[in-house]
Amino acid sequence: MNGHRDVLVPVLEEARRLGFLGPGPVETHLDHAGGYAAALEHDAGPAWLPARAADLGSGAGLPGLPLALQFADTQWTLVEASVRRAAFLREAVRELGLEARLAVVEERAEVIGRAPEYRGRFDLVVARSFGPPAVLAECAAPLLRVGGRAVVSEPPGGEPERWPAGGLAQLGMAPGAGVQAGGAAYQVLRQDEPCPDRWPRRVGVPTKQPLF
């Protein structure tokens, strides 16, 4: 990640100017993005590399843009429902020269989870501040192939009880490792079985009627 900071810092500073990035030094946000890779390696091992990955609710491009530079052979999809944020992400992709292997999809996660070109197609799904655990799991599981993983940022210290095995099993998921990296916490979720066809529910329902 360190080798890409010079090109990422101006992009994230622009995101902050537009109101898409929260407080704190940009370098701290980059350190946090790097923790996703550390959590993935801890759970799956260094030889496990995703061929196709998605960042749900990408916003300012975190953690998707830094991870796309780190995983140089991975095809990435940044999912962002906001028109303004999606426009920013498209420009960032052009500035970083990632057009060949990074696409921005301006859509709700519940919608792309039912689209044949995305459903069950990803090895890795990442998310930062996407929503409560049940909402994230319901939106991530339909995108993951069997054997794929989701990596999610967690409150400081981590709270494994937020990811109940029984609730995740409804989606074909199981809790993986809870990882501390760089002073932050991450939770890995494993897709052990295909996500049943009834998930995800229509837009807004996962938030209003969470599975767990």
Side-chain angles (χ1 to χ4, degrees), residues 152-185:
V152 189
S153 60
E154 280 283 82
E159 298 177 9
E161 63 275 9
R162 286 165 30 99
W163 306 95
L168 293 172
Q170 300 177 71
L171 301 162
M173 281 183 149
V179 180
Q180 304 288 321

Side-chain angles (χ1 to χ4, degrees), residues 108 110 134-135 138-139 198-211:
R108 290 288 297 256
E110 298 98 323
V135 177
E138 184 171 342
C139 290
R198 64 183 179 274
W199 316 114
R201 292 167 291 176
R202 66 183 184 276
V203 171
V205 176
T207 301
K208 295 177 182 176
Q209 300 174 22
L211 286 177

